[in-house]
Amino acid sequence: MKPEALAKAAYTVECFLNALRLEDGPARTEIEEKLVHWLVRDGAGKEDHLIYSRGNIFCYSGRQAVKSIALPGVDQPRTLWCDGQKLSMIDPEEYFGAGKLVLLGTAGLALTLPGMAAAGPPKKKEEKSSNNNNNNNNNNNNNNG
């Protein structure tokens, strides 16, 4: 596996877990590692993916769920899909009922780390404008003299 593909899968899985609002810590790191390894393992197919639904992450090989990871305390109401390259909400009725993957996009998902939204945007550096005022005053004084 190329390092770029591994980095892309790790980033996408991180966004997947961020969308679930899974708190950062050792337990999350362990889950993240398992999911990335699932998606980039030898023998992984193009149709391998992850589905989050009702407090569980399911690791799929094609249409077959092979593993599941319970996430107690996670109450994301949407069903999420991730293949290591992309992340999307999906229509759960279409997927689990008819077997159709209907991607709904990521609108409305918080993809930042938990707690980052509460911190607010980064503060801007204050600009110092006193030099401009002093220069203007000096110019005015020189012109009036």
Side-chain angles (χ1 to χ4, degrees):
M1 159 137 313
K2 293 181 181 180
E4 297 83 21
L6 179 61
K8 175 69 174 169
Y11 175 76
T12 307
V13 168
E14 180 178 18
C15 290
F16 180 72
L17 296 178
N18 289 349
L20 299 176
R21 313 309 297 151
L22 191 60
E23 289 295 323
D24 207 1
R28 176 188 164 125
T29 302
E30 186 177 324
I31 291 168
E32 191 169 351
E33 183 178 4
K34 287 178 184 178
L35 297 177
V36 171
H37 282 286
W38 169 257
L39 293 170
V40 300
R41 73 193 188 288
D42 286 338
K46 289 185 178 183
E47 294 184 15
D48 289 0
H49 57 277
L50 309 170
I51 299 273
Y52 166 81
S53 180
R54 298 181 186 145
N56 293 285
I57 296 175
F58 300 95
C59 300
Y60 278 82
S61 182
R63 288 281 303 146
Q64 180 72 31
V66 178
K67 301 185 197 188
S68 68
I69 299 171
L71 300 176
V74 174
D75 59 355
Q76 171 61 254
R78 298 174 181 106
T79 301
L80 305 181
W81 170 91
C82 175
D83 70 352
Q85 301 296 309
K86 297 178 231 161
L87 164 69
S88 184
M89 291 182 293
I90 64 170
D91 183 326
E93 287 81 23
E94 288 292 325
Y95 186 79
F96 294 116
K100 296 178 184 175
L101 183 61
V102 178
L103 301 175
L104 303 174
T106 58
L109 293 178
L111 301 177
T112 59
L113 290 172
M116 292 299 289
K123 294 182 180 178
K124 294 181 181 179
K125 288 185 176 179
E126 291 183 23
E127 293 183 29
K128 294 185 179 182
S129 60
S130 61
N131 289 342
N132 291 339
N133 290 337
N134 287 340
N135 287 340
N136 287 337
N137 288 338
N138 288 338
N139 290 336
N140 290 338
N141 290 338
N142 290 337
N143 291 334
N144 292 333

